[in-house]
Amino acid sequence: MLAGDLQKRSADPSLVRLKKLYHIDREELRRRAIRHGLWVAVVVYVSFAITDAILISDVAALTIAVRIVVGLATLVLVEYEFRTNVSAARMDVTCATALVVAYFGWLFTAITTSETDVIAHYVVFGAIFMMSANLFFSFRFGFSLLVSGLMLAASLFVILGYFSESPAYQLSFGVFYVSCFLFTSYVNWRLNHERFNVFVNELEARNQQAAAAERGKELLRLSRTDPLTGLDNRRAINDRLRTLWTGWEQHGQAFVAMLIDVDFFKRFNDCYGHQEGDACLIEVAEALRETIRPGATLGRYGGEEFIVLALLTSPEDSLAQAEELRLAVQERALRHQQRRDGIDTVTVSIGAAISRAHTDAKLERIIHEADRALYLAKANGRNCSYLFDPSDPQSSDESDNIAALLKIAVERDLISLVYQPILDVSSGRIVALETLMRLKTLDGTAVPPTLFIPVAERTGTILELGRWAIRSACREIVANDLVRIVSINVSPVQLKMPGFAASVATILGETGVPGSRLAFEITEGLEMEFHPEVLRCISDLKLLGIDIWLDDFGTGFAGLSWLRRIDFDTVKIDRSFLHDCETERGYDMFQDIVRLIRNRGHTILVEGVETAEQLSLLRRLGIDMAQGYHLGRPESHDQLHLAPPATAEAHLK
């Protein structure tokens, strides 16, 4: 019944295999139990020498000698077997042999005593040996039956052979020994099966626990793994980041964090679809995985952004690692023909930051600094690596101060506008003014536009500042009819913002200024891209009558594409081309650009005029408008009231 139950619960592996596993599992436990049990048995066995001396004193010397010799020999042999790692089955044989020899040795020496009445009752001592074989030691049932059977046979032989004159004695003691044999044998059988039953239950429990632990590990792995790429996810990366941070704080082991962003990934998704987008991320992840150095941790940090954490050897080596990762992705040559930046494959931009001592040292800071570095990498043309430099104003803590300053700039009158004249080259008259922002700190220190404009774009405060600038220019210049047209620089962030054109229309309505009196300058660059929102916004602005000018033409990648897609009213040639006219090659390049723009039918404006010779060159080439320090420096609207148009014309004579 029990065996059937075990087979039913453990059909595979089979019962035979289970029993084999049971004996293997309990091997060391049985060896220790045999050793311990035999020491106890020998001590008890030898202790009975006292009763020998009292009850059968005439042969006590002989029985005590047998006890001591058998006991010591057994201990020595068992200790030897235990220390030489003899199997439990072999030690069982030794133990059983010792029990039989101990009993036989005592019994057949004790019955030689002359104290017949005493020994007739003293032989009950043999029941202890039988119980030891069946109950005290954990012999297998068959083996236990054999050992206890030998002891029963010896006991019955003595009872029937030496005490034949007392049938009642023989019957009572014979029944006692047989009953003892049957009872202890049955208990041994039950114990063996119960031990096996306990083992099977324990095995099932262990298997269930192991399965649960394995499921737990798998769930933990899944909770820490990105399902798309198989990389560590944000949770796992944050744990690793905390470990590295602790190592840096406690042991000074510096590390580097690299944020890796797939360039123009939204455009890739929009063009090729989300399935291709997922395939692209998998390919990028594989390229990064094959390239990272041993010991580094790679993970997906969200969307198209990956992260690498690695111990630091040197800043130069960190940048070298970043470049290895960037090139690995570039060399995959994954198709991406919608970039509009002169590259037709998938690339990545990488921003890296190194753990460093700081008064505000926090775990999140290194990620924040890596993110700043990534922003600068993207601003510098993408497909490049940038290491955070705390001494660089664009990435240092100063940008945090500037960001805080920009939030209160309008309210505290820290932001102001200045206007630089734009002259008609042929007449010398001021035909427009370019609006330029100026920022000062609370103590009056000026903050360069090259510092605060990127911060304003990154933080989004450019939206509020842009609306303020448009409203102020309309009230200060156009409403007072100081000049025919005012140009205002517009950030890509503003053009991408839904409702920007509507907000401009509201400002025009509030100030009573027609849109034809405004021009918005859009800088050629990567950040513009060809977002449908941008194109729609430009179209809406032109419907308001606002002129659209292309600023800094020639410095970006997408200038010709923009000329093809958008009907610009004016194209402003970057100052660098005018200044390069001192060389023959530079002069030829400048002429080529002028011819290109003129053939497209756009009005030409050249900035950076700083000498009379440069102005004379523009007049010879028939340039429409010019701007620069030679013609007029940026001034506030109060100062513009004092500057008559004749001043500007004098520069042309």
Side-chain angles (χ1 to χ4, degrees):
M1 183 75 180
L2 180 60
D5 181 56
L6 291 175
Q7 282 183 308
K8 189 175 182 180
R9 286 181 298 149
S10 307
D12 186 23
S14 65
L15 184 61
V16 174
R17 187 178 173 189
L18 269 177
K19 286 185 176 180
K20 184 177 180 181
L21 185 61
Y22 165 68
H23 293 303
I24 293 174
D25 185 73
R26 297 183 70 250
E27 175 72 13
E28 184 60 27
L29 182 64
R30 286 179 58 213
R31 290 179 71 253
R32 293 181 180 277
I34 292 169
R35 181 196 187 201
H36 179 264
L38 205 56
W39 270 91
V40 173
V42 168
V43 170
V44 173
Y45 177 64
V46 174
S47 298
F48 268 90
I50 299 172
T51 58
D52 287 353
I54 297 172
L55 299 176
I56 50 174
S57 57
D58 57 333
V59 293
L62 184 58
T63 58
I64 292 172
V66 169
R67 289 179 185 275
I68 293 174
V69 170
V70 173
L72 289 177
T74 301
L75 288 179
V76 170
L77 183 57
V78 168
E79 280 295 317
Y80 171 77
E81 290 181 338
F82 181 80
R83 295 177 186 278
T84 55
N85 293 319
V86 172
S87 68
R90 174 74 177 276
M91 292 179 69
D92 273 348
V93 172
T94 301
C95 184
T97 302
L99 283 175
V100 172
V101 171
Y103 181 51
F104 281 27
W106 172 82
L107 180 61
F108 289 107
T109 54
I111 59 176
T112 62
T113 181
S114 59
E115 302 289 341
T116 307
D117 290 339
V118 173
I119 196 62
H121 295 87
Y122 195 21
V123 291
V124 76
F125 179 67
I128 297 176
F129 288 88
M130 194 181 302
M131 287 188 288
S132 297
N134 282 331
L135 306 179
F136 190 71
F137 293 98
S138 301
F139 296 149
R140 299 186 189 182
F141 175 68
F143 188 60
S144 174
L145 201 65
L146 174 63
V147 174
S148 58
L150 288 174
M151 295 178 181
L152 174 63
S155 299
L156 292 177
F157 174 78
V158 170
I159 292 170
L160 297 176
Y162 284 81
F163 304 101
S164 57
E165 68 280 1
S166 177
Y169 172 83
Q170 290 177 328
L171 179 61
S172 60
F173 270 79
V175 170
F176 169 74
Y177 270 103
V178 171
S179 299
C180 187
F181 169 76
L182 292 175
F183 175 74
T184 57
S185 296
Y186 172 74
V187 173
N188 175 272
W189 178 78
R190 290 292 300 179
L191 285 174
N192 271 291
H193 279 79
E194 286 301 326
R195 292 190 191 103
F196 182 57
N197 187 26
V198 169
F199 166 74
V200 172
N201 290 332
E202 181 186 353
L203 182 62
E204 288 181 348
R206 286 203 306 246
N207 288 339
Q208 290 174 0
Q209 184 179 9
E214 190 62 32
R215 286 195 300 271
K217 290 180 181 178
E218 181 63 16
L219 289 174
L220 179 61
R221 187 189 68 80
L222 290 175
S223 71
R224 297 167 59 85
T225 302
D226 174 58
L228 177 64
T229 62
L231 301 177
D232 287 350
N233 62 12
R234 196 182 191 103
R235 176 181 178 181
I237 286 296
N238 286 339
D239 288 345
R240 176 58 177 161
L241 186 59
R242 279 190 287 270
T243 300
L244 290 172
W245 186 263
T246 301
W248 176 71
E249 284 187 319
Q250 296 180 356
H251 309 294
Q253 176 60 67
F255 66 97
V256 61
M258 306 179 200
L259 289 179
I260 305 167
D261 189 78
V262 181
D263 296 329
F264 300 102
F265 184 72
K266 183 180 183 301
R267 179 169 294 280
F268 186 98
N269 250 352
D270 293 342
C271 176
Y272 300 110
H274 291 288
Q275 287 188 338
E276 284 294 319
D278 289 348
C280 171
L281 292 178
I282 292 172
E283 281 285 338
V284 170
E286 191 60 29
L288 297 175
R289 188 182 355 239
E290 292 176 358
T291 310
I292 61 169
R293 298 183 183 180
T297 300
L298 170 65
R300 186 181 177 195
Y301 213 51
E304 68 271 24
E305 193 168 77
F306 299 86
I307 186 171
V308 171
L309 303 175
L311 295 178
L312 178 69
T313 53
S314 68
E316 294 76 17
D317 186 60
S318 296
L319 198 55
Q321 287 187 57
E323 277 297 293
E324 290 170 6
L325 295 170
R326 184 189 66 80
L327 290 173
V329 175
Q330 181 176 294
E331 289 168 2
R332 291 268 169 158
L334 301 175
R335 178 173 58 105
H336 189 352
Q337 297 178 337
Q338 302 297 318
R339 293 175 54 126
R340 307 294 184 185
D341 66 345
I343 300 175
D344 59 1
T345 58
V346 172
T347 60
V348 294
S349 301
I350 303 178
I354 297 170
S355 56
R356 61 189 181 92
H358 195 277
T359 55
D360 186 28
K362 293 180 181 178
L363 174 64
E364 298 80 7
R365 188 169 194 86
I366 189 170
I367 297 298
H368 179 58
E369 292 178 348
D371 190 55
R372 286 188 190 173
L374 176 61
Y375 175 84
L376 291 175
K378 294 169 74 173
N380 288 333
R382 290 186 170 90
N383 191 26
C384 63
S385 304
Y386 196 92
L387 181 63
F388 178 82
D389 182 2
S391 63
D392 184 348
Q394 292 193 51
S395 61
S396 68
D397 294 338
E398 186 177 351
S399 67
D400 283 343
N401 298 331
I402 293 174
L405 198 64
L406 289 171
K407 292 180 180 179
I408 61 171
V410 174
E411 177 186 351
R412 303 287 292 272
D413 291 328
L414 301 177
I415 195 81
S416 60
L417 297 179
V418 293
Y419 303 91
Q420 185 172 22
I422 297 174
L423 273 65
D424 180 283
V425 174
S426 60
S427 67
R429 292 187 174 274
I430 298 175
V431 293
L433 293 173
E434 180 180 7
T435 306
L436 302 170
M437 281 190 192
R438 293 293 184 261
L439 177 69
K440 63 182 179 181
T441 61
L442 293 172
D443 63 4
T445 304
V447 181
T450 53
L451 288 185
F452 75 80
I453 294 296
V455 175
E457 291 180 332
R458 177 163 54 85
T459 59
T461 52
I462 191 68
L463 299 173
E464 180 188 356
L465 294 178
R467 288 190 293 268
W468 173 86
I470 296 170
R471 183 178 289 105
S472 299
C474 287
R475 288 173 175 171
E476 292 178 353
I477 304 298
V478 184
N480 293 322
D481 204 26
L482 297 182
V483 71
R484 183 178 65 83
I485 194 167
V486 171
S487 72
I488 302 169
N489 289 281
V490 176
S491 164
V493 177
Q494 294 169 274
L495 293 175
K496 293 176 186 177
M497 180 60 59
F500 174 68
S503 67
V504 173
T506 300
I507 293 172
L508 294 177
E510 291 174 355
T511 57
V513 172
S516 59
R517 302 289 300 275
L518 293 182
F520 284 170
E521 296 191 26
I522 301 173
T523 301
E524 174 195 349
L526 290 175
E527 290 299 326
M528 284 298 300
E529 308 178 19
F530 283 113
H531 285 287
E533 297 87 350
V534 172
L535 297 176
R536 190 179 304 112
C537 181
I538 291 175
S539 177
D540 291 343
L541 292 172
K542 290 183 75 68
L543 288 176
L544 294 174
I546 298 173
D547 282 359
I548 304 297
W549 294 5
L550 180 60
D551 193 13
D552 296 337
F553 179 79
T555 59
F557 294 96
L560 295 179
S561 296
W562 278 105
L563 288 179
R564 181 172 58 86
R565 296 288 294 272
I566 299 174
D567 183 21
F568 289 101
D569 297 283
T570 298
V571 175
K572 182 186 287 190
I573 300 176
D574 185 72
R575 69 182 64 242
S576 60
F577 293 100
L578 176 62
H579 295 174
D580 284 346
C581 285
E582 295 178 359
T583 66
E584 182 179 353
R585 183 177 179 181
Y587 179 72
D588 292 340
M589 174 68 75
F590 184 72
Q591 284 186 306
D592 290 340
I593 292 174
V594 169
R595 279 194 292 268
L596 171 65
I597 300 173
R598 184 168 288 149
N599 291 337
R600 294 287 303 172
H602 305 292
T603 300
I604 301 174
L605 167 61
V606 178
E607 63 180 351
V609 179
E610 298 178 358
T611 65
E613 290 77 11
Q614 291 174 341
L615 182 60
S616 177
L617 171 63
L618 298 184
R619 193 188 314 151
R620 288 198 309 270
L621 293 176
I623 301 301
D624 301 301
M625 295 185 291
Q627 174 184 9
Y629 284 175
H630 179 66
L631 304 177
R633 292 179 173 273
E635 297 175 330
S636 67
H637 76 284
D638 294 331
Q639 294 171 315
L640 287 173
H641 285 303
L642 304 177
T647 304
E649 293 180 33
H651 289 293
L652 300 175
K653 296 180 181 179

